[in-house]
Amino acid sequence: QVQLAESGGGSVQSGGSLRLSCAASGYTGVIGCMGWFRQVPGKEREVVASIERNGNSRYTDSVKGRFTISRDAYNLSLQMGSLKPEDTSTYYCAVTGYVDCRNFKRHNVIYWGQGTPVTVSS
């Protein structure tokens, strides 16, 4: 089993910044790609960003240039800047068993964090 403990969500005004963190514990040897999803009520959970063990990262188009994902072994962070109201969502830390983050898709996730809410007001 792997436990993912998230922290750092909250409320901020448009244009502001927040930093999310996720600490993995337990049987971390199964972890390959790590990353973040987000979900608003009534919509599907979507990929935000992911990062491989070697530091290679990927971002969804809507956050490129504004968000930065980083990783130190099994500790994950997401630095979010220039936040917009449309970034309002619950953010979930997630891991797959695949080394390559091209496989970072919802159906490949083996462990999820509990979710942390982010609210951006205009």
Side-chain angles (χ1 to χ4, degrees):
Q1 286 284 343
V2 171
Q3 294 77 43
L4 300 174
E6 300 168 8
S7 59
S11 298
V12 66
Q13 289 193 329
S14 182
S17 300
L18 280 174
R19 185 179 182 89
L20 305 183
S21 297
C22 174
S25 60
Y27 191 49
T28 55
V30 301
I31 296 175
C33 177
M34 300 183 74
W36 298 90
F37 285 75
R38 64 186 180 187
Q39 186 175 25
V40 296
K43 291 191 175 182
E44 289 193 357
R45 195 168 293 189
E46 63 173 0
V47 174
V48 177
S50 60
I51 187 167
E52 299 171 356
R53 291 177 185 173
N54 61 10
N56 287 341
S57 58
R58 297 169 182 267
Y59 299 89
T60 193
D61 286 345
S62 63
V63 307
K64 284 180 181 176
R66 301 189 297 120
F67 290 12
T68 302
I69 191 170
S70 60
R71 174 176 180 174
D72 176 13
Y74 302 111
N75 295 305
L76 183 69
S77 296
L78 184 69
Q79 180 67 45
M80 305 186 292
S82 301
L83 282 162
K84 305 175 181 180
E86 51 264 43
D87 294 317
T88 295
S89 191
T90 298
Y91 286 71
Y92 296 88
C93 176
V95 305
T96 74
Y98 294 100
V99 172
D100 192 330
C101 280
R102 286 178 294 180
N103 296 306
F104 191 71
K105 302 179 187 301
R106 192 173 51 179
H107 63 270
N108 287 330
V109 171
I110 53 175
Y111 293 103
W112 293 97
Q114 77 278 10
T116 185
V118 170
T119 302
V120 184
S121 58
S122 56

